Amino acid sequence: MTEVTGGSKPVYIVFGATGGIGECLCRRLAGRGARLALVARRPEPLQRLADELGALAMPVDATHFDAVDQCVERVMTQYGQVDGAVNCVGSLLLKSAHLTSESEWYSTIAANLTTAFAVVRSSARAMLNRGGCIVLVSSVAARLGLANHEAIAAAKAGVIGLTLAAAATYAKNGIRVNCIAPGLVRTPLTARLTGNEASLKVSIAMHPLGRIGDPVDVASAIDWLLQPEQSWITGQTLGIDGGLATVRSRS
């Protein structure tokens, strides 16, 4: 079983479509003619984006399995196929373990790991007979020890483990499962960090390439992984982090 290429325009589902990375990705995919189904919690910005891109809008909370199932089923009913699914849903909690409450822990796991599992669970089922591609979003915090990142690091490390296991399970069906692990990216989610001059200066200094990321840095990598030309890539975690996880440079 291999991914279907050529013929009709590909159909992609983007969960977390109205976030900084998700919106940038949707615009890239629409620009190359893909048919899109956009999923996010807030209906107003979701509908505006969907109307602009000529996409299907589905306002749901992706932490619930049934809601994700219904999204994928609706796409299958409307288009008859799902070629790719991306989970850009996430959250950011910067706290040491002893200061993290139980509710903060569970909400971090739900937003980052439960959503990823729900997307894999439902979209893989839709791709069993014709192949496809799933891309998840982890974090540099899952690959490098960063202080005060315990909860988010645990959740995002789970995403990497999920990527590996799902890639092994579904390889026989021609379903590729890969993961992106970004460094700090300038989005509304990270505005508290990037909007503070002192914090931003420290963050820039941590990244060997001398800057933090922009949404297009991550969206372009996800777009690349989705394309059927990458049909021999699965089970990989691609660091889009300015070298933070792997490079130590000195001036």
Side-chain angles (χ1 to χ4, degrees):
M1 179 70 65
T2 58
E3 289 177 71
V4 176
T5 59
S8 62
K9 295 177 181 178
V11 176
Y12 298 126
I13 309 177
V14 179
F15 293 83
T18 57
I21 294 170
E23 180 175 343
C24 183
L25 174 63
C26 291
R27 294 185 184 281
R28 288 182 68 92
L29 296 175
R32 62 181 179 89
R35 292 175 289 176
L36 299 179
L38 312 185
V39 184
R41 287 188 302 174
R42 296 183 298 152
E44 292 82 6
L46 177 65
Q47 192 61 58
R48 285 197 299 270
L49 180 62
D51 289 344
E52 179 184 344
L53 301 181
L56 178 65
M58 295 178 287
V60 302
D61 183 346
T63 63
H64 299 293
F65 284 15
D66 288 347
V68 173
D69 286 346
Q70 289 167 12
C71 287
V72 175
E73 289 166 5
R74 183 177 173 189
V75 173
M76 288 295 291
T77 298
Q78 180 151 340
Y79 297 118
Q81 65 191 71
V82 174
D83 298 291
V86 181
N87 185 44
C88 293
V89 178
S91 66
L92 180 62
L93 179 69
L94 300 183
K95 280 190 176 182
S96 54
H98 73 281
L99 296 176
T100 301
S101 68
E102 185 176 16
S103 63
E104 288 173 328
W105 164 256
Y106 282 120
S107 64
T108 299
I109 294 297
N112 296 279
L113 183 54
T114 301
T115 59
F117 189 90
V119 169
V120 170
R121 172 181 176 272
S122 189
S123 57
R125 185 185 300 123
M127 298 175 184
L128 286 175
N129 293 325
R130 70 192 308 272
C133 181
I134 300 169
V135 182
L136 306 177
V137 178
S138 179
S139 168
V140 68
R143 307 174 71 211
L144 173 71
L146 295 172
N148 303 316
H149 282 68
E150 286 89 327
I152 192 66
K156 292 299 194 181
V159 173
I160 293 176
L162 170 62
T163 298
L164 291 168
T169 298
Y170 298 112
K172 65 182 180 295
N173 301 101
I175 301 171
R176 300 183 297 110
V177 186
N178 292 292
C179 183
I180 297 292
L184 180 62
V185 179
R186 194 186 304 272
T187 68
L189 183 65
T190 63
R192 187 167 61 88
L193 293 174
T194 60
N196 180 288
E197 185 175 349
S199 296
L200 180 60
K201 185 176 181 180
V202 171
S203 296
I204 290 173
M206 291 173 64
H207 293 76
L209 285 180
R211 68 173 177 89
I212 64 169
D214 291 314
V216 68
D217 296 317
V218 182
S220 61
I222 298 173
D223 182 12
W224 181 78
L225 283 170
L226 284 171
Q227 296 178 35
E229 288 80 6
Q230 278 53 263
S231 63
W232 214 41
I233 300 175
T234 195
Q236 302 302 307
T237 297
L238 182 59
I240 310 296
D241 60 8
L244 177 57
T246 53
V247 175
R248 294 296 174 267
S249 61
R250 294 184 179 180
S251 58

